[in-house]
C-alpha cells in the first residue's frame, strides 16, 4: 500500500515538474526568442497589420577572423496612408492642411499625395513608406482625421551593391514578397518566416521547436552564414570597376574560391545593382548572375585541363615535343595559333608558355579523341555544379556529339564549347587540390532559431586526375608565370603562382567568329603547391586590347598580392 502511495506521489511530482518545465520553455520563447516580434505586435495594437510585416531570416558575411557581418536583414518602420473618403467628409481638415502638417515632419511626394487624395472612390491610399518610429509618433500626435499608420518591414542590405549577384533581393511576386534572385531565392524556404507565427498554438510551437532541436530540417526557419569575406569581396568588386574603366567591357565577372574546400570567398559581376533600390533598374538582365547563369567559350584557360588529361593518360610529358607548323588541318578546316606563326619543334611546356593551339590539338591526337571526351565529361564542364544559387545552367558540349575532328581540336583550346564560369572554376580547382572535383558553395552554415545549426553543403571528393598529374601541371603553370607571362615580369620571388590566360573569339549568330570581338579570361592559384586561393576573371568584349594578358594580368596580380598580404600567407620560396 505504501509503495503504491509513493508511486502516486512521484507521478504527481513528475507531472508538476513537467508543467513547470513547459512554462519555463514557453517563457523563454516569449521573452527571448520572440521578444522583438511581441513588442512589435504590441506597438501595432492600435493600427492595422499589413502583409509587409513578414519576417525573414538574416544573411551574414564572414570575415577572415570568423566574425559575422550582416549582409541582409529586416528593418522596421511605418507606412503612411490616407483615407480619401474621410478627408473629404471632415469639415475640420482639408488635403492642403494635411499635406502641410505632415510635410513639416516628413517630406511627402506632393504629386503622389494629391493624386491619392483625389481618389475619393478608394478607401485607402499609401502615400509614404519607411517612416521612423519618431516620425510616426510625431504624425500620430497631430491626431489628423483620415491619416493612417501601419507597421511595415522591409529587406535591407547594409553594404548596398556588395555581393549583389550572390545575395539577390526580395520583391513582390504577385501579392507575396519572396526572394527573387541569388541566395534570397535559393534559400527561400529557409529564410521566410511563418506569417502567423505569433498565433501558433503553444503546444504546437513547443513541439515544433523540440523537433528543430532534435533534427533541423533544411526547410526550417534559419539564417545563412556565408563564406563571403566582405573585405575580399570589396577588393574584387573594385578590381572589376578598374577593369571596366580602362577597357570599357560589355560584361565582367570574378570569383575567389578556396580550391581545397569549394568555399567561395568572393563573387562579383559587372554591371551590378543595389538590392536596396532594385526597382529603379530599367533593365532586369542586370540581376542575372553571368557566373552561374551564362555560358561562354572561355578560350585558352581550357588548355591546362587538356594538358592534364594528356599527362594523366601518359600520352605526353612536359618534355614531349611535336612539330609546330603554325596550323593544322582538321575536317578540312585550318586551325592556327593565335598569331598564325609556327615554332618548329617545341615541348609541351612551350605549348603552355606560348599558348599554342596546335600543341593541345596534338595532345588530343596523342591520347585519342574518345579519351579526351571522357576527361571533359569527368571534369563535368557540361553539367551543373550544384552551387547554392538559382538558375544554374549546363555547359554546351555539342561538338563532342558530332565527333568531328575539328570540334575535338577546337575544344582542346576552349573554342566550340560553352561552359559556365563556375563550372570552369570547379574543374580548374582540381589542378590546385590534388585532382579532386570540389563542391562550390556560398553558404557554410544554416543556423536555426533554437540555436542549432547544420552544414549547408556536401563534400564531393571525386578524383578526376591523379595527384601526381595535378602536381606536374601545377609545376608547368608556375613556369608559365615565371618565364612567359608578360615576359616573366610578374614572377614573384617569394611566392609560386600557377596561372594561365585565355583569349577566345566571340561567335557570330550568322556563323563563324568575329575577327574583332573577344572574351578574355584568366585564372591562377597560389601558393601553387599548397593552394589557398584560386582567382578567376573574365571580361566580355574589352575595347582596345586583343589578348587577355594585356587586360587581366595586372588585375589578377593585384588581387593575388592583396590576398597574400591580407591573409598573411607565408612565402613558399
Amino acid at each position: 500500500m505504501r509503495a503504491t502511495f509513493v508511486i502516486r506521489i512521484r507521478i504527481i511530482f513528475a507531472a508538476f515538474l513537467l508543467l513547470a518545465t513547459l512554462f519555463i520553455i514557453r517563457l523563454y520563447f516569449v521573452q527571448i526568442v520572440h521578444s522583438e516580434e511581441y513588442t512589435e505586435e504590441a506597438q501595432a495594437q492600435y493600427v492595422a497589420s499589413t502583409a509587409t510585416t513578414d519576417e525573414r531570416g538574416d544573411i551574414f558575411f564572414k570575415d577572415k577572423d570568423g566574425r559575422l557581418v550582416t549582409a541582409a536583414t529586416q528593418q522596421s518602420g511605418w507606412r503612411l496612408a490616407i483615407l480619401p473618403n474621410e478627408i473629404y467628409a471632415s469639415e475640420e481638415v482639408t488635403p492642403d492642411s494635411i499635406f502641410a502638417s505632415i510635410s513639416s515632419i516628413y517630406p511627402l511626394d506632393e504629386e503622389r499625395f494629391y493624386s491619392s487624395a483625389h481618389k475619393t472612390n478608394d478607401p485607402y491610399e499609401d502615400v509614404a513608406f519607411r517612416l521612423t518610429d519618431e516620425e510616426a509618433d510625431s504624425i500620430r500626435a497631430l491626431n489628423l482625421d483620415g491619416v493612417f499608420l501601419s507597421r511595415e518591414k522591409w529587406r535591407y542590405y547594409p553594404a548596398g551593391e556588395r555581393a549583389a549577384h550572390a545575395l539577390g533581393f526580395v520583391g513582390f511576386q504577385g501579392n507575396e514578397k519572396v526572394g527573387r534572385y541569388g541566395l534570397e531565392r535559393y534559400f527561400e524556404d529557409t529564410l521566410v518566416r511563418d506569417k502567423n507565427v505569433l498565433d501558433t498554438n503553444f503546444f504546437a510551437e513547443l513541439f515544433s521547436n523540440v523537433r528543430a532541436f532534435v533534427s533541423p530540417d533544411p526547410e526550417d526557419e534559419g539564417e545563412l552564414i556565408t563564406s563571403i569575406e566582405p573585405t575580399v569581396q570589396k577588393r574584387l568588386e573594385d578590381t572589376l570597376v578598374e577593369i571596366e574603366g580602362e577597357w570599357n567591357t560589355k560584361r565582367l565577372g570574378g570569383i575567389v574560391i578556396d580550391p581545397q574546400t569549394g568555399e567561395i570567398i568572393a563573387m562579383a559581376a559587372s554591371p551590378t545593382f543595389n538590392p536596396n533600390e532594385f526597382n529603379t533598374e530599367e533593365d532586369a538582365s542586370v540581376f542575372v548572375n553571368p557566373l552561374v547563369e551564362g555560358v561562354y567559350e572561355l578560350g585558352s584557360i581550357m588548355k591546362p585541363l587538356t594538358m592534364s588529361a594528356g599527362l594523366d593518360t601518359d600520352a605526353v610529358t612536359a618534355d614531349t615535343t611535336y612539330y609546330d607548323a603554325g596550323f593544322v588541318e582538321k575536317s578540312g578546316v585550318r586551325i592556327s595559333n593565335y598569331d598564325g606563326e609556327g615554332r618548329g619543334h617545341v615541348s609541351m611546356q612551350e605549348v603552355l608558355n606560348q599558348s599554342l593551339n596546335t600543341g593541345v590539338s596534338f595532345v588530343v591526337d596523342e591520347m585519342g579523341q574518345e579519351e579526351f571526351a571522357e576527361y571533359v565529361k569527368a571534369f563535368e564542364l557540361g553539367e551543373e555544379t550544384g552551387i547554392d544559387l538559382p538558375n544554374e545552367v549546363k555547359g554546351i558540349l555539342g561538338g563532342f556529339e558530332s565527333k568531328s575532328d575539328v570540334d575535338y581540336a577546337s575544344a582542346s583550346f576552349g573554342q566550340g564549347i560553352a561552359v559556365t564560369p563556375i563550372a570552369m572554376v570547379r574543374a580548374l580547382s582540381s589542378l590546385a587540390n590534388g585532382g579532386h572535383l570540389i563542391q562550390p558553395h556560398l553558404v557554410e552554415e544554416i543556423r536555426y532559431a533554437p540555436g542549432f545549426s547544420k552544414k549547408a553543403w556536401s563534400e564531393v571528393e571525386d578524383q578526376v586526375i591523379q595527384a601526381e598529374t595535378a602536381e606536374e601541371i601545377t609545376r608547368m603553370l608556375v613556369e608559365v608565370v615565371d618565364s612567359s607571362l608578360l615576359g616573366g615580369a610578374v614572377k614573384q620571388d617569394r611566392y609560386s603562382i600557377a596561372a594561365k590566360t585565355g583569349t577566345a573569339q566571340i561567335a557570330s549568330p550568322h556563323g563563324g567568329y568575329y575577327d574583332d570581338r573577344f572574351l578574355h579570361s584568366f585564372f591562377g592559384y597560389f601558393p601553387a603547391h599548397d593552394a589557398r586561393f584560386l582567382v578567376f576573371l573574365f571580361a566580355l568584349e574589352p575595347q582596345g586590347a586583343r589578348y587577355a594578358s594585356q587586360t587581366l594580368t595586372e588585375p589578377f596580380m593585384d588581387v593575388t598580392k592583396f590576398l597574400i598580404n591580407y591573409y598573411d600567407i607565408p612565402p613558399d620560396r
Side-chain angles (χ1 to χ4, degrees), residues 88-128:
Y88 285 98
S90 173
E91 297 179 356
E92 299 178 2
V93 297
T94 65
D96 289 340
S97 65
I98 290 176
F99 180 81
S101 298
I102 295 177
S103 292
S104 65
I105 300 169
Y106 180 88
L108 287 174
D109 182 315
E110 184 173 359
E111 181 179 352
R112 177 171 189 152
F113 176 84
Y114 282 105
S115 174
S116 298
H118 288 123
K119 296 178 180 179
T120 55
N121 292 326
D122 290 347
Y124 175 100
E125 284 288 324
D126 289 318
V127 294

Side-chain angles (χ1 to χ4, degrees), residues 495-544:
Y495 293 91
S496 62
I497 300 170
K500 182 72 182 74
T501 64
T503 301
Q505 290 179 285
I506 302 294
S508 168
H510 308 295
Y513 291 87
Y514 292 108
D515 293 328
D516 58 351
R517 301 184 192 182
F518 303 93
L519 182 144
H520 290 177
S521 58
F522 197 114
F523 91 98
Y525 52 92
F526 55 91
H529 299 283
D530 186 19
R532 287 281 304 276
F533 300 104
L534 182 147
V535 177
F536 166 88
L537 301 169
F538 89 95
L540 183 63
E541 296 188 31
Q543 304 299 306

Side-chain angles (χ1 to χ4, degrees), residues 155-218:
R155 200 61 161 166
Y156 177 63
Y157 303 88
E161 294 183 357
R162 190 81 48 83
H165 284 95
L167 295 173
F169 58 83
V170 175
F172 277 101
Q173 185 171 318
N175 295 323
E176 294 290 327
K177 273 188 175 180
V178 297
R180 297 298 303 274
Y181 292 87
L183 296 175
E184 294 279 22
R185 176 175 173 180
Y186 190 88
F187 288 97
E188 172 69 14
D189 291 337
T190 300
L191 293 169
V192 73
R193 297 294 182 261
D194 183 357
K195 299 182 181 67
N196 300 313
V197 66
L198 298 179
D199 298 323
T200 302
N201 175 274
F202 162 48
F203 290 101
E205 180 186 7
L206 170 64
F207 287 107
S208 68
N209 281 297
V210 169
R211 179 176 63 84
F213 269 103
V214 176
S215 178
D217 187 276

Side-chain angles (χ1 to χ4, degrees), residues 5 27 48 58 151 162 290 300 347 351 393 412 451-452 536 541 551:
F5 175 75
L27 190 62
D58 291 343
R151 196 72 174 168
R162 190 81 48 83
S300 293
S347 68
V351 169
V393 298
S412 71
F452 279 71
F536 166 88
E541 296 188 31
T551 60

Side-chain angles (χ1 to χ4, degrees), residues 29-51:
F29 279 102
V30 170
Q31 293 190 344
I32 305 298
V33 176
H34 296 307
S35 62
E36 183 180 348
E37 298 169 36
Y38 281 108
T39 300
E40 291 176 356
E41 186 186 50
Q43 285 181 313
Q45 287 297 313
Y46 48 85
V47 298
S49 179
T50 70

Side-chain angles (χ1 to χ4, degrees), residues 147-363:
V147 174
F148 181 84
L149 287 163
S150 61
R151 196 72 174 168
E152 71 168 343
K153 284 200 170 188
W154 59 90
R155 200 61 161 166
Y156 177 63
Y157 303 88
E161 294 183 357
R162 190 81 48 83
H165 284 95
L167 295 173
F169 58 83
V170 175
F172 277 101
Q173 185 171 318
N175 295 323
E176 294 290 327
K177 273 188 175 180
V178 297
R180 297 298 303 274
Y181 292 87
L183 296 175
E184 294 279 22
R185 176 175 173 180
Y186 190 88
F187 288 97
E188 172 69 14
D189 291 337
T190 300
L191 293 169
V192 73
R193 297 294 182 261
D194 183 357
K195 299 182 181 67
N196 300 313
V197 66
L198 298 179
D199 298 323
T200 302
N201 175 274
F202 162 48
F203 290 101
E205 180 186 7
L206 170 64
F207 287 107
S208 68
N209 281 297
V210 169
R211 179 176 63 84
F213 269 103
V214 176
S215 178
D217 187 276
E219 293 187 358
D220 282 347
E221 298 172 359
E223 57 189 21
L224 308 181
I225 313 299
T226 74
S227 55
I228 295 176
E229 211 289 342
T231 303
V232 178
Q233 179 70 32
K234 183 178 186 303
R235 187 66 189 90
L236 179 61
E237 291 176 0
D238 289 346
T239 298
L240 297 190
V241 170
E242 293 166 5
I243 296 171
E244 167 62 25
E246 185 169 1
W247 302 106
N248 191 28
T249 58
K250 186 175 181 180
R251 181 166 292 169
L252 285 162
I255 295 172
V256 178
I257 193 171
D258 181 338
Q260 311 294 337
T261 66
E263 292 179 2
I264 293 176
I265 312 303
M267 171 182 279
S270 177
T272 189
F273 62 95
N274 187 335
N276 293 311
E277 302 170 355
F278 70 89
N279 56 324
T280 65
E281 293 290 342
E282 296 181 358
D283 183 3
S285 68
V286 73
F287 305 138
V288 174
N289 187 338
L291 297 159
V292 175
E293 301 176 58
V295 294
Y296 307 91
E297 297 183 38
L298 290 171
S300 293
I301 60 172
M302 178 68 186
K303 287 174 180 171
L305 297 179
T306 303
M307 188 65 72
S308 69
L311 296 170
D312 208 54
T313 57
D314 294 325
V316 296
T317 69
D319 297 325
T320 298
T321 62
Y322 81 109
Y323 184 80
D324 172 33
F327 68 92
V328 293
E329 295 279 349
K330 295 289 183 180
S331 305
V333 178
R334 173 176 286 203
I335 292 177
S336 302
N337 292 326
Y338 69 91
D339 58 2
E341 298 294 325
R343 272 78 173 170
H345 292 282
V346 294
S347 68
M348 295 299 101
Q349 179 65 62
E350 283 303 309
V351 169
L352 293 180
N353 287 354
Q354 300 188 49
S355 199
L356 302 178
N357 295 342
T358 59
V360 283
S361 176
F362 168 80
V363 172

Side-chain angles (χ1 to χ4, degrees), residues 443-497:
V443 174
E444 286 187 1
E445 178 186 357
I446 301 176
R447 292 188 179 176
Y448 297 95
F452 279 71
S453 64
K454 67 183 296 185
K455 188 172 68 174
W457 54 280
S458 59
E459 294 182 6
V460 179
E461 293 291 341
D462 291 343
Q463 189 87 30
V464 289
I465 56 173
Q466 301 172 73
E468 295 80 7
T469 301
E471 180 67 20
E472 178 65 356
I473 194 68
T474 294
R475 186 198 63 77
M476 295 174 74
L477 291 172
V478 170
E479 180 63 23
V480 170
V481 175
D482 287 350
S483 64
S484 298
L485 186 59
L486 296 187
V490 296
K491 175 184 177 181
Q492 301 297 297
D493 293 332
R494 303 183 67 207
Y495 293 91
S496 62
I497 300 170

